[in-house]
Amino acid sequence: MAEVPSGLLEACVVVGASSDKLRDVYQLHQQNKFVEFPLLDAEVLQVHIPPFVSKEANSGHVIGPSFSRVQRRRSFIKKKRRDRAPDLTHNGGAANHSEVSSATEDISVPKDLDLIALPQLCFPGGLQLANELREDAYHFLVFTDLLGNRTHGVVAQCYRAVQSYQEAALQNGHRWISSKCRLFSPFAVCVISKFPYYNALRDCLSCLLVQLRPARQADLAETMKEFSAKLSLVPLPPPGQLHVSFSLRPLLVVLPSREDHDGPIIDVDLHLPLLCFSHTTLLQILSCLLQEQRLVFFSSDWARLTLVAECLLLYLQPLTWQHPYVPVLSRGMLDFLMAPTAFLMGCHISHFEEVAAETEDLILVNMDDGIIQSSWADVIDLAAIPLTAAECFISRAESLQLHYDLEQCHLGSATDAIALQAQRRVWQGRLNKQIQNICLELLVNIFRGVQDFLNHEHRVFNSEEFLRTREPADQPFYKKVLDTHIFHSFLRDRLNRKQDSFSRMEQRTRNVAHRNRGVTESPRRPPMSELSWNGYSSYASPDNRLSKRLGASMPNLDQPSHESLTAISPVRPASLRKMTPDIGLKCPQKAVMVFRLPEFPPPLAYHYVQNYYSEMVASLGKAISATSPDESALLARYHYLRGLVNTVSNRRLDALEDFQGLYKTDSDIFPLQMVKSLVDSLPEADHLQADRRPELKRLIVRLKRDQERERYDTKHEEGTVKRFQLPKKYMQLDEFVKCVQESGMVKDQGTIYRLFDALTVGHQKQVGPELFRVFYTIWKETEAEAQEVCLPASVLEHIEPSECVFKLSSSVKTSRGVGKLAMTQRRLFLLTDGRPGYVEVAQYRDLEEVKVSSAPFLLLRIPSLKLRVRGRKEAFEANLKTETELWNLMVKEMWAGRDMADQHKDPQYMQQALTNALLMDAVVGSLQSNKATYAASKLAHFDRIKMEVPMMVPRTTAETLKHKINPSLELAAPRAIDVLLYTPGQLWVSVSGGKVMVFDASSWSLTHTCQVGNARLNCMLAVDKDQVWMGSEDSVIYIISMVAMVCNRQLTDHRSEVTGLALETDKYSQKVAYSCSTEGTVMAWDVSTLQVKKNFRLSCDRLHSVHCSSVTLWCCSRDSIMEVWRNGSLKHRLNLPEQHKGSAATFSAVLLLPEVRHTHTHTHTHDIISYEDNCLEIWTI
């Protein structure tokens, strides 16, 4: 049977006191034997589980037309009540025989729904009768199973009068009770859902209680069943900007959708914690959650416990709480607080003293008073959230408008309850989004830069290096957080390259300099302009701090120091406190649409329910017709919703057709498992019909192909995250390569091979753990020494802001004075002793000679480094003594790298040369032998190329080449480039396996990386300002949005490898795209609707490409070049020249030159054809 999509309702349960208990209490109350009513045991009285109507299908399956998962079930009530009197009414009255029979039937519940603890949670303070009618009360529950899956409940408690039918009298046909005998019993209605729709379900229960108040006792069960059946007909909205609403009278209930596929459903008021706690206290609570402490919340209001706890966990999104979570504990569950693990629980404020006295190591949070303390002291002794992130959070939070009445006081009084409710919902949604942005920014500020310390190939996180970039005062916090489950899960998502809200904001708010550097600079060093602010003592890699766009409360790190703000003081000017919450965080606000469901039918009749679904399908069809093709995201949501409705109403083929439409509108929300289940459940007759529908046939074929691919694919473990550890045994070459890559020092395999040769000179070809430890330590110490360099302003004036000091010699005598020789990625300069001064030595491109010399000192000759610089008569000489040989190697390598970079217009050669030079330094320091310098020379890669095999650039190339980039630089091994595409301001590069890189065409820095399928891409085409089409080996055309940089639309009409794309504008100014595939199919697409306008098939051997001419198409295949009319009929065919027939030569590409019109009005089109044997020919047509 097909998998039925999850709906709003999982179960509806009625809980209260049993009728026999109520009868006993009532009799004692009549005798005035109670000073205070005793607490009664609550029991489950009714259970309502969908589906409520069903029909036997031909296949023998019972099809329940409701949005509910079909689950294995178990008996609950019959087993529990087998030995009891068959009376389930809870008002002391006698039920008729039919009611008793119905109530004692074997009621089954889903296997994963545990109702044993539910009565306690519905009455966490106990069930107690009252002698007066009390107000209805609501609270909220969260249930967690052994696998960590959560189910949510909303409970409404209300009171009804307890009657004794023996004492009741009839007056004028009405039943009455003496006022002195009045007794009221509470009962609870709990609606259970897989999804946290707290506000929506509270609205539903509010509407239910309106119906229950005047209802007779005998009608309660039927009213409850009808209410539950209506909720079971409600489909959930798909992820995105489409909500679902329905009327329950007197309210209109709205189900908000989750923002994206992996995002949470938010149906709570996120500002509640901000009303309960000060900003400082709130940050303390968040710090405790991030450090996975044992937290207990207290409040006198049961509802507040869950709502505030849910808000706090939403504040941490996309980080997720991994430990036990029970926001409401009844008085009989307090022993849960003795659990040894981290947890988040809540109980009544009356238990505060008891819990504080009898348990240890708890963080106690009093919601009513807004305070936090520990069970062993009044002060929390835990590391605080990093200061810069905390201050930015406080500054933004202070600007929020949290009071609805204050913001809406200029409006008149609403006379319509639904209008008033909608007005409040809009205000709350806007506030929720602001709070989400502020909390997400807090997390981005805390964990910014984590991805820079990840090795994706080996799934390693270098925690020690990450900690070294944090402020010393913040390191206790990070040391604690880095060992938590919540951070481990966060790291796993980063290693899996998950594009969630954190990734998007981190990329959006990362400052320009850091984004341009990306991951191409190796090794990692901070520029001197950044180090110069505070020196090493307070260095925290400003790229990992707050950027300019993250708030005016931080110093502007991109400006000179005299222009930036002074250090932040505890008391800030009000002008800095009042900030717009979305400064630096704004993104285009998407319009939210609400689809209103039709009015509910009688929900317990099968044919009425089917008519209801038909009406809903018709309404969705009208919505689809009224939506512009440009609004593809909204169209996708309508198709998704209609697919759900067709699924539960047993219209399988229509459902598959709707889900197939998601490929062209938004494939991110494609319900793969549901569609697989639908296909597997198709009866033979439906299979035959699907084969006659081309789109459904393609869908089924694709699903089967993907299943086969999954069966044979061997994927790496995506759940593991390792911490980098130094080796404990001798390493051969392969193990050494892996270890170096995991350490983050170098990624390039060729460089690591040369390092292996250097470290094993004169030894067996293996590196011992002690040698590697010394080498790694020296590498890191050199890095730290470079960070300790604090240059004065007089020196900084002479170097570029992006320059870093990578190597600093000891104080030596030179021909230009005494001082330290400094090496940056651009130049050598002398940092003079005494009053620090700057003496330019040379820029690498100006060097003419570098050699080892000797300088006289008394009767000795001291080794020195001698440099000749272009344009200077006198050579520069530095008495570097024992460091001379090393500096000679490093400077020569930098010089050679500079020459290579200039010749090839590729600055990455310079970065590689710098890495080689620093590795030489670490090798010499770790070997400490007479062969150390010789070993280091193994790393002089560019100097050796310069001396042995000069890489000369041809003159034509040198004259035309402007810049060269290497897309494989961040990869462990080089990859071939498959396709290139230039769009205004951007260069798109596709490498093997569907990996696409986007470079900024002005700075040539990497701006985006995305994965487009898993197969090789053959062609790319810019269709308009926002669409790039990519044809793939897997027969799919992927569509990428250039604005959002997401690939969520696909064209799946081709049946084989897509090899060519072309674009033209027809006579009606409509864009038409053409695509071709290897078997000869050519398709014409309407770009606006993504529909196939026409298609035809050419007879050829492997069609390579398609090009648009004035009125024809030019198509290139292996054996011919064809000119065809737009309808597919052949106009010309050019076959291989006679001299190439019978050989291995084939056509590989065709280039159309512009048409040339001669004086006698003839038009010629020149085609340049290339062959696989590198032969070029020019044809004139």
Side-chain angles (χ1 to χ4, degrees):
M1 182 178 176
E3 176 186 344
V4 179
S6 294
L8 179 62
L9 181 73
E10 184 78 4
C12 183
V13 184
V14 180
V15 177
S18 63
S19 56
D20 51 351
K21 288 286 184 66
L22 289 175
R23 186 181 298 112
D24 295 342
V25 171
Y26 182 80
Q27 291 173 356
L28 293 174
H29 174 61
Q30 291 290 86
Q31 302 170 16
N32 295 323
K33 293 188 176 182
F34 285 131
V35 177
E36 183 179 354
F37 292 111
L39 294 176
L40 302 182
D41 292 332
E43 297 183 4
V44 173
L45 304 179
Q46 300 175 26
V47 180
H48 301 283
I49 304 289
F52 295 93
V53 292
S54 62
K55 177 182 179 181
E56 291 292 330
N58 294 331
S59 62
H61 294 301
V62 177
I63 300 173
S66 63
F67 292 89
S68 168
R69 293 186 183 277
V70 177
Q71 304 172 347
R72 294 182 59 189
R73 300 183 173 229
R74 56 181 173 79
S75 173
F76 180 76
I77 290 185
K78 183 176 180 181
K79 180 179 178 181
K80 185 174 180 181
R81 304 256 178 122
R82 187 170 297 153
D83 300 326
R84 292 196 176 188
D87 190 350
L88 289 179
T89 58
H90 62 280
N91 64 345
N96 60 43
H97 180 72
S98 63
E99 289 175 323
V100 170
S101 299
S102 174
T104 55
E105 289 178 356
D106 188 0
I107 299 178
S108 63
V109 297
K111 190 175 182 181
D112 58 352
L113 184 61
D114 186 4
L115 301 183
I116 296 176
L118 185 62
Q120 291 187 65
L121 295 173
C122 287
F123 293 95
L127 191 157
Q128 190 171 31
L129 278 65
N131 53 18
E132 62 180 2
L133 191 63
R134 295 184 180 177
E135 289 185 350
D136 302 335
Y138 296 81
H139 67 276
F140 309 89
L141 304 174
V142 179
F143 315 98
T144 309
D145 63 17
L146 294 176
L147 299 177
N149 302 311
R150 291 176 188 165
T151 306
H152 309 268
V154 180
V155 181
Q157 292 182 6
C158 54
Y159 285 76
R160 288 182 68 89
V162 178
Q163 304 178 33
S164 172
Y165 285 91
Q166 291 79 7
E167 297 184 5
L170 286 173
Q171 290 188 358
N172 299 325
H174 297 282
R175 192 177 305 279
W176 65 276
I177 305 174
S178 171
S179 61
K180 68 176 183 178
C181 302
R182 297 192 74 179
L183 188 63
F184 297 89
S185 171
F187 73 98
V189 181
C190 179
V191 176
I192 300 173
S193 176
K194 290 281 187 184
F195 307 94
Y197 282 112
Y198 296 113
N199 287 339
L201 292 177
R202 177 170 56 186
D203 290 345
C204 293
L205 286 173
S206 300
C207 296
L208 172 66
L209 295 188
V210 172
Q211 301 177 46
L212 291 183
R213 289 191 188 100
R216 297 182 306 164
Q217 185 66 38
D219 298 334
L220 288 182
E222 191 67 19
T223 303
M224 290 297 309
K225 186 174 182 180
E226 186 173 314
F227 167 77
S228 304
K230 286 180 179 179
L231 293 189
S232 73
L233 302 180
V234 177
L236 294 183
Q241 303 301 309
L242 179 66
H243 301 344
V244 167
S245 69
F246 56 93
S247 175
L248 270 183
R249 302 192 189 278
L251 297 179
L252 184 69
V253 181
V254 176
L255 300 181
S257 60
R258 61 181 84 228
E259 189 171 344
D260 53 53
H261 185 68
D262 297 316
I265 292 172
I266 300 179
D267 192 30
V268 292
D269 300 341
L270 289 182
H271 68 292
L272 292 179
L274 292 164
L275 297 177
C276 293
F277 307 106
S278 67
H279 299 137
T280 302
T281 303
L282 183 56
L283 285 171
Q284 282 184 295
I285 297 172
L286 294 177
S287 177
C288 292
L289 290 170
L290 289 172
Q291 296 178 63
E292 293 186 346
Q293 297 298 304
R294 301 163 70 219
L295 283 90
V296 186
F297 290 168
F298 296 89
S299 177
S300 57
D301 186 344
W302 294 107
R304 192 180 302 167
L305 288 170
T306 301
L307 292 179
V308 172
E310 284 287 301
C311 290
L312 291 170
L313 295 187
L314 288 171
Y315 286 2
L316 298 181
Q317 285 290 326
L319 280 74
T320 54
W321 180 257
Q322 307 283 320
H323 293 281
Y325 172 48
V326 189
V328 172
L329 289 175
S330 67
R331 62 173 63 207
M333 298 178 176
L334 293 182
D335 56 333
F336 286 16
L337 300 177
M338 305 302 292
T341 183
F343 56 71
L344 174 55
M345 300 187 186
C347 54
H348 199 270
I349 191 66
S350 59
H351 303 299
F352 186 90
E353 298 297 335
E354 176 187 357
V355 171
E358 297 187 9
T359 53
E360 297 180 355
D361 300 331
L362 293 183
I363 303 297
L364 311 178
V365 180
N366 185 335
M367 293 183 182
D368 296 346
D369 296 335
I371 60 174
I372 178 173
Q373 66 184 70
S374 66
S375 58
W376 66 93
D378 292 336
V379 180
I380 302 294
D381 186 21
L382 283 175
I385 282 178
L387 178 63
T388 52
E391 292 207 341
C392 184
F393 173 85
I394 292 174
S395 178
R396 296 199 187 284
E398 286 174 345
S399 69
L400 290 171
Q401 178 54 265
L402 303 178
H403 302 285
Y404 174 74
D405 293 335
L406 188 61
E407 189 164 310
Q408 305 293 323
C409 60
H410 64 286
L411 299 178
S413 300
T415 56
D416 183 352
I418 293 180
L420 183 63
Q421 186 185 25
Q423 183 177 300
R424 171 63 188 246
R425 191 181 296 115
V426 170
W427 176 86
Q428 189 65 58
R430 185 168 59 248
L431 179 60
N432 279 1
K433 187 60 181 176
Q434 292 176 347
I435 294 173
Q436 281 180 271
N437 279 343
I438 291 173
C439 295
L440 182 58
E441 180 193 33
L442 173 69
L443 295 174
V444 169
N445 290 339
I446 293 173
F447 298 115
R448 182 181 298 281
V450 163
Q451 66 276 8
D452 294 337
F453 300 89
L454 293 175
N455 182 285
H456 293 273
E457 289 77 18
H458 303 294
R459 302 188 66 79
V460 172
F461 173 60
N462 198 324
S463 56
E464 291 185 5
E465 288 304 299
F466 174 75
L467 281 173
R468 289 182 67 249
T469 63
R470 306 295 102 175
E471 292 278 2
D474 298 333
Q475 289 192 8
F477 170 83
Y478 285 105
K479 288 178 180 177
K480 185 73 175 178
V481 171
L482 262 54
D483 289 329
T484 60
H485 290 82
I486 194 172
F487 183 74
H488 183 275
S489 176
F490 171 76
L491 277 185
R492 186 170 61 244
D493 289 339
R494 300 316 106 199
L495 284 170
N496 294 338
R497 303 183 189 274
K498 185 176 181 180
Q499 287 299 311
D500 53 16
S501 55
F502 180 95
S503 301
R504 290 190 293 270
M505 178 175 281
E506 200 278 338
Q507 177 68 22
R508 193 165 62 244
T509 58
R510 178 177 285 198
N511 69 41
V512 177
H514 189 259
R515 188 160 52 238
N516 286 346
R517 284 210 307 269
V519 292
T520 59
E521 292 196 6
S522 179
R524 193 167 39 242
R525 297 289 196 280
M528 295 310 303
S529 59
E530 296 176 355
L531 283 174
S532 62
W533 292 113
N534 303 304
Y536 179 70
S537 60
S538 60
Y539 172 69
S541 181
D543 290 336
N544 295 316
R545 301 181 192 174
L546 304 184
S547 70
K548 176 182 178 181
R549 298 177 62 190
L550 286 182
S553 58
M554 286 301 299
N556 186 345
L557 299 178
D558 292 333
Q559 303 295 331
S561 58
H562 62 275
E563 296 179 4
S564 65
L565 299 174
T566 56
I568 300 174
S569 60
V571 180
R572 298 182 175 195
S575 60
L576 285 184
R577 289 170 175 254
K578 295 299 178 185
M579 302 167 58
T580 304
D582 286 332
I583 287 180
L585 310 175
K586 286 186 177 179
C587 56
Q589 192 68 31
K590 300 176 182 177
V592 175
M593 301 294 291
V594 180
F595 176 73
R596 182 165 178 173
L597 304 182
E599 294 295 324
F600 287 115
L604 301 179
Y606 181 83
H607 66 281
Y608 283 122
V609 171
Q610 288 296 327
N611 291 339
Y612 171 75
Y613 285 137
S614 297
E615 186 180 355
M616 197 186 304
V617 168
S619 297
L620 287 165
K622 291 179 181 178
I624 291 171
S625 300
T627 304
S628 167
D630 295 336
E631 299 181 74
S632 59
L634 183 58
L635 279 173
R637 272 70 195 169
Y638 284 138
H639 279 291
Y640 183 101
L641 202 53
R642 193 169 69 176
L644 291 185
V645 179
N646 281 325
T647 300
V648 298
S649 57
N650 203 29
R651 302 182 182 99
R652 294 184 176 93
L653 295 183
D654 292 341
L656 288 175
E657 202 166 70
D658 279 313
F659 292 137
Q660 164 72 15
L662 296 179
Y663 282 122
K664 294 182 180 179
T665 50
D666 190 348
S667 60
D668 284 349
I669 63 173
F670 185 82
L672 180 59
Q673 295 304 321
M674 189 188 306
V675 173
K676 285 181 178 178
S677 176
L678 270 174
V679 171
D680 293 340
S681 69
L682 287 178
E684 186 64 28
D686 285 350
H687 261 298
L688 293 176
Q689 289 189 46
D691 287 341
R692 290 193 289 269
R693 298 190 190 182
E695 289 196 351
L696 293 188
K697 187 175 181 180
R698 283 194 299 271
L699 174 64
I700 294 173
V701 169
R702 179 174 183 175
L703 288 174
K704 290 181 178 179
R705 184 184 62 203
D706 291 345
Q707 287 178 332
E708 288 296 322
R709 186 179 299 161
E710 290 175 3
R711 187 177 304 168
Y712 293 106
D713 279 354
T714 55
K715 295 185 178 180
H716 62 267
E717 178 61 43
E718 293 189 352
T720 59
V721 180
K722 298 183 292 184
R723 298 284 182 88
F724 172 68
Q725 294 181 341
L726 291 172
K728 298 180 180 179
K729 61 179 182 179
Y730 281 84
M731 296 178 290
Q732 303 293 335
L733 177 59
D734 291 344
E735 296 170 317
F736 180 78
V737 169
K738 180 181 178 182
C739 187
V740 172
Q741 288 178 340
E742 288 182 357
S743 71
M745 290 186 290
V746 185
K747 283 187 177 181
D748 178 61
Q749 287 185 355
T751 303
I752 300 175
Y753 290 160
R754 292 189 288 273
L755 176 61
F756 183 79
D757 289 340
L759 292 176
T760 56
V761 166
H763 303 283
Q764 290 184 339
K765 291 300 180 179
Q766 57 182 6
V767 176
E770 180 62 22
L771 175 59
F772 188 87
R773 184 192 65 79
V774 173
F775 172 79
Y776 182 77
T777 302
I778 292 175
W779 174 271
K780 294 304 175 185
E781 285 178 350
T782 305
E783 191 175 75
E785 289 171 2
Q787 292 176 353
E788 290 177 354
V789 176
C790 186
L791 301 179
S794 59
V795 175
L796 291 175
E797 292 176 355
H798 298 277
I799 64 176
E800 298 291 332
S802 61
E803 284 188 77
C804 318
V805 171
F806 288 89
K807 176 68 176 174
L808 197 64
S809 73
S810 55
S811 184
V812 296
K813 180 182 178 182
T814 73
S815 58
R816 304 288 297 275
V818 178
K820 297 178 180 179
L821 188 61
M823 182 183 79
T824 75
Q825 69 267 47
R826 294 176 183 270
R827 75 192 76 220
L828 296 171
F829 68 90
L830 185 66
L831 188 62
T832 57
D833 284 351
R835 183 178 180 180
Y838 173 88
V839 176
E840 175 86 17
V841 175
Q843 294 196 19
Y844 300 120
R845 60 165 50 96
D846 296 331
L847 289 172
E848 291 183 340
E849 183 184 24
V850 178
K851 67 177 183 179
V852 175
S853 182
S854 60
F857 179 73
L858 298 178
L859 300 178
L860 302 175
R861 303 289 295 181
I862 299 175
S864 65
L865 180 68
K866 195 169 186 178
L867 308 176
R868 292 196 176 275
V869 184
R870 187 182 300 112
R872 296 181 188 173
K873 295 181 179 181
E874 295 183 1
F876 174 83
E877 192 168 4
N879 301 342
L880 289 166
K881 304 175 185 176
T882 56
E883 297 180 82
T884 302
E885 293 288 346
L886 172 61
W887 275 88
N888 178 56
L889 288 174
M890 291 194 301
V891 174
K892 281 186 174 180
E893 183 69 6
M894 296 296 287
W895 179 22
R898 182 73 269 170
D899 285 348
M900 293 277 289
D902 290 344
Q903 288 182 37
H904 294 266
K905 307 295 192 299
D906 187 356
Q908 294 170 355
Y909 281 118
M910 198 66 223
Q911 297 296 337
Q912 294 173 18
L914 177 60
T915 298
N916 294 338
L918 294 174
L919 289 173
M920 294 176 190
D921 183 33
V923 166
V924 169
S926 58
L927 293 181
Q928 293 293 328
S929 67
N930 54 1
K931 294 184 179 180
T933 303
Y934 171 72
S937 67
K938 297 282 187 180
L939 291 158
H941 178 59
F942 293 120
D943 186 46
R944 184 176 299 109
I945 291 176
K946 181 180 178 180
M947 299 297 294
E948 297 176 359
V949 188
M951 294 178 61
M952 299 301 295
V953 178
R955 180 178 177 181
T956 305
T957 303
E959 291 175 351
T960 56
L961 182 63
K962 297 298 182 183
H963 193 87
K964 180 181 175 183
I965 56 176
N966 180 12
S968 300
L969 188 63
E970 65 167 299
L971 307 176
R975 293 188 186 180
I977 294 174
D978 296 324
V979 194
L980 287 174
L981 173 69
Y982 177 80
T983 60
Q986 292 179 315
L987 177 65
W988 300 68
V989 181
S990 167
V991 295
S992 58
K995 187 181 182 69
V996 175
M997 301 177 180
V998 184
F999 292 86
D1000 185 292
S1002 57
S1003 64
W1004 302 110
S1005 59
L1006 181 65
T1007 58
H1008 294 93
T1009 302
C1010 55
Q1011 187 68 33
V1012 181
N1014 296 307
R1016 184 171 68 90
L1017 298 178
N1018 293 322
C1019 49
M1020 291 194 284
L1021 175 69
V1023 173
D1024 56 28
K1025 294 181 179 178
D1026 186 42
Q1027 289 187 42
V1028 171
W1029 290 19
M1030 300 185 180
S1032 174
E1033 243 181 6
D1034 61 8
S1035 78
V1036 177
I1037 299 174
Y1038 296 92
I1039 301 178
I1040 292 185
S1041 167
M1042 288 190 282
V1043 176
M1045 288 307 299
V1046 294
C1047 177
N1048 60 359
R1049 289 189 285 173
Q1050 303 173 15
L1051 305 179
T1052 59
D1053 296 64
H1054 281 285
R1055 297 188 179 183
S1056 61
E1057 182 179 342
V1058 179
T1059 53
L1061 293 167
L1063 182 69
E1064 73 156 0
T1065 303
D1066 64 15
K1067 60 183 179 180
Y1068 302 107
S1069 299
Q1070 293 182 335
K1071 289 187 176 180
V1072 178
Y1074 291 88
S1075 62
C1076 66
S1077 50
T1078 53
E1079 87 286 11
T1081 299
V1082 178
M1083 293 186 179
W1085 301 85
D1086 186 323
V1087 171
S1088 61
T1089 62
L1090 301 183
Q1091 299 296 323
V1092 177
K1093 297 181 65 174
K1094 66 172 81 71
N1095 68 83
F1096 52 86
R1097 185 163 181 172
L1098 302 174
S1099 176
C1100 61
D1101 177 19
R1102 186 176 176 85
L1103 187 56
H1104 284 315
S1105 60
V1106 60
H1107 302 271
C1108 292
S1109 183
S1110 56
V1111 293
T1112 59
L1113 299 176
W1114 286 87
C1115 302
C1116 176
S1117 68
R1118 289 166 58 92
D1119 58 352
S1120 63
I1121 296 173
M1122 296 158 284
E1123 184 181 13
V1124 297
W1125 299 104
R1126 299 302 166 89
N1127 61 5
S1129 59
L1130 184 65
K1131 182 181 179 183
H1132 289 110
R1133 181 187 291 269
L1134 305 178
N1135 295 313
L1136 280 170
E1138 290 295 330
Q1139 64 268 28
H1140 293 289
K1141 289 184 177 180
S1143 67
T1146 60
F1147 291 116
S1148 60
V1150 59
L1151 175 64
L1152 298 182
L1153 296 182
E1155 293 181 347
V1156 179
R1157 186 173 297 277
H1158 298 280
T1159 56
H1160 53 286
T1161 71
H1162 288 290
T1163 299
H1164 299 281
T1165 301
H1166 296 280
D1167 302 310
I1168 300 179
I1169 298 96
S1170 67
Y1171 303 92
E1172 291 182 358
D1173 58 357
N1174 299 322
C1175 177
L1176 293 176
E1177 291 194 9
I1178 300 178
W1179 298 63
T1180 301
I1181 306 300

